Amino acid sequence: PADPGVARAAQRILNVAVSRYKNHFLTERAVANIPIEEACAEILQSDEVRGPLQEVANVTLHLSDTGTSVRLEGLDGVGREVARRALARLSRKPDAAADAQADSYGFARGIREQLESEIVGLGRKAFSVLKIPKAHAEIVQLVGALNYRTSYTQNQWLHAVEASFLASMMADEMGLDNKLARRATLLHDIGKALTHEIDGSHAVIGADIARRLGEDEIVANAVGAHHDDEVPSSIYAHLVKAADAMSGARPGARRELGELYTSRLDDLERIGKTHPGVDRAFAVHGGRELRVYVREREMDDLAAVELSGELAEKVADELVFPGQIKVTVIRSYEAVAVAD
């Protein structure tokens, strides 16, 4: 058991950090239906305009039957922003329609290039605000792209900066390197900018990128360990994990109806308990992981591996959820004796 004095000291550090820092409340970038003007609807009916826009933005545009709105379908947050800006320009600027019809690819690429320039600027701003040395250009771009990625409607660029300040304040209280804490925390979610392109945990993706592009191993490990995909190798990994949880859990950070959240947790545990041989199942990490304990005598190691895959498929088929849910099956031998 943890030393009560240590636990109280840790609680004090968390309280100091969260009470000293304040920032934005939730923002909404997950809107899929974009209202448009009649002139824009007429242009989108042409495949010669809609096709190139979809290709450059990497999203699918569905014009409503009434012609008053467009539904965006795609997981690329930056691409969705490209499409939003294109639709806004076509609806509000009469000369934009002529530009789009004259050179559809040029019209769409111009919007994307402008947005990518802004993304680089946002990446640089994050490093500047946190007063830490700049990183490789690819990492700077990924940090900026987080502005067009949300988690439960929380803007992930703002989340990364906010969590970095929280980690920095906790590091100060513990006599650690606050700049190293800020750097590791700023980069902890860069993998989210690529989850629409690369399969797997965003923590693992981010850690691989950090190592490949020359970040310190303490930083890379903290990125990979913040959802327990890697074993933490330093105190900074624990700081990142704590700051991430504090930023995501604070009042107003994220929007989700309480009853829906509770229902999803109940459904996760229900799915975990459906298979014979399961002793107990728990939804942990805010519903990001389903942890299933099986009876050692009723299931061998190979069956446990197969069960994790089966449960993951079942979760994907039956539930709707943002991001990913990890399924962990645990088979351990328990020796029990009774002293009379």
Side-chain angles (χ1 to χ4, degrees):
D3 184 318
V6 174
R8 283 194 296 271
Q11 184 66 46
R12 185 190 72 81
I13 291 170
L14 293 173
N15 289 338
V16 167
V18 80
S19 63
R20 285 176 57 197
Y21 186 81
K22 72 173 184 177
N23 194 16
H24 71 293
F25 279 73
L26 60 84
T27 56
E28 179 62 76
R29 282 195 179 274
V31 175
N33 290 298
I34 310 298
I36 58 172
E37 300 295 333
E38 183 179 349
C40 179
E42 293 178 359
I43 296 170
L44 292 178
Q45 289 174 351
S46 167
D47 289 336
E48 294 180 357
V49 174
R50 188 173 69 249
L53 178 55
Q54 291 182 144
E55 183 180 334
V56 173
N58 194 31
V59 297
T60 302
L61 307 178
H62 293 283
L63 186 63
S64 68
D65 293 338
T66 59
T68 57
S69 66
V70 172
R71 188 174 77 253
L72 308 182
E73 288 189 2
L75 300 176
D76 182 352
V78 173
R80 289 163 66 90
E81 181 65 16
V82 170
R84 274 191 284 265
R85 292 188 179 195
L87 293 174
R89 192 171 297 181
L90 289 171
S91 293
R92 298 170 187 170
K93 296 184 177 180
D95 58 336
D99 293 340
Q101 290 171 327
D103 183 4
S104 301
Y105 280 103
F107 173 76
R109 285 172 182 154
I111 294 173
R112 187 166 195 114
E113 287 170 4
Q114 179 182 2
L115 179 58
E116 288 175 350
S117 177
E118 293 176 16
I119 286 171
V120 172
L122 282 168
R124 291 173 178 166
K125 180 180 178 181
F127 284 88
S128 174
V129 166
L130 294 170
K131 298 180 180 179
I132 54 178
K134 290 181 183 177
H136 188 280
E138 186 176 336
I139 289 179
V140 172
Q141 185 172 29
L142 291 174
V143 170
L146 290 175
N147 192 55
Y148 302 100
R149 178 71 155 78
T150 59
S151 179
Y152 298 95
T153 73
Q154 186 181 30
N155 179 293
Q156 293 300 280
W157 186 90
L158 291 168
H159 161 67
V161 173
E162 172 179 288
S164 298
F165 278 118
L166 292 171
S168 175
M169 288 185 278
M170 289 188 284
D172 283 337
E173 292 291 323
M174 300 171 69
L176 299 173
D177 185 340
N178 60 18
K179 289 190 176 181
L180 182 56
R182 283 182 228 158
R183 189 178 194 87
T185 311
L186 177 63
L187 304 190
H188 81 279
D189 271 346
I190 57 173
K192 284 187 176 180
L194 293 172
T195 50
H196 63 284
E197 297 180 4
I198 305 173
D199 292 332
S201 163
H202 72 270
V204 173
I205 295 170
D208 289 344
I209 292 170
R211 291 188 175 100
R212 176 171 59 84
L213 297 179
E215 288 294 324
D216 190 285
E217 177 56 26
I218 291 178
V219 173
N221 173 258
V223 173
H226 80 276
H227 284 316
D228 298 323
D229 294 290
E230 292 185 16
V231 177
S233 64
S234 74
I235 186 63
Y236 295 94
H238 295 285
L239 280 180
V240 170
K241 186 174 181 179
D244 175 44
M246 291 164 67
S247 173
R250 68 172 175 76
R254 298 181 176 186
R255 177 186 295 146
E256 183 176 23
L257 294 178
E259 58 269 24
L260 294 179
Y261 174 74
T262 303
S263 176
R264 186 170 73 246
L265 297 186
D266 291 341
D267 286 339
L268 270 176
E269 294 181 352
R270 172 186 56 78
I271 291 172
K273 295 174 183 177
T274 55
H275 197 283
V278 171
D279 183 32
R280 56 196 187 278
F282 303 101
V284 298
H285 295 148
R288 293 190 180 96
E289 179 181 354
L290 172 61
R291 194 168 292 175
V292 179
Y293 294 83
V294 299
R295 290 184 283 272
E296 186 265 345
R297 292 181 177 83
E298 297 182 27
M299 189 174 297
D300 59 21
D301 289 339
L302 178 60
V305 172
E306 293 174 346
L307 176 60
S308 65
E310 292 174 10
L311 291 176
E313 290 182 5
K314 195 166 186 179
V315 169
D317 289 341
E318 296 187 16
L319 302 183
V320 177
F321 51 89
Q324 296 177 324
I325 294 178
K326 180 168 69 174
V327 177
T328 304
V329 175
I330 300 172
R331 176 180 179 267
S332 61
Y333 181 77
E334 295 183 5
V336 180
V338 179
D340 295 325

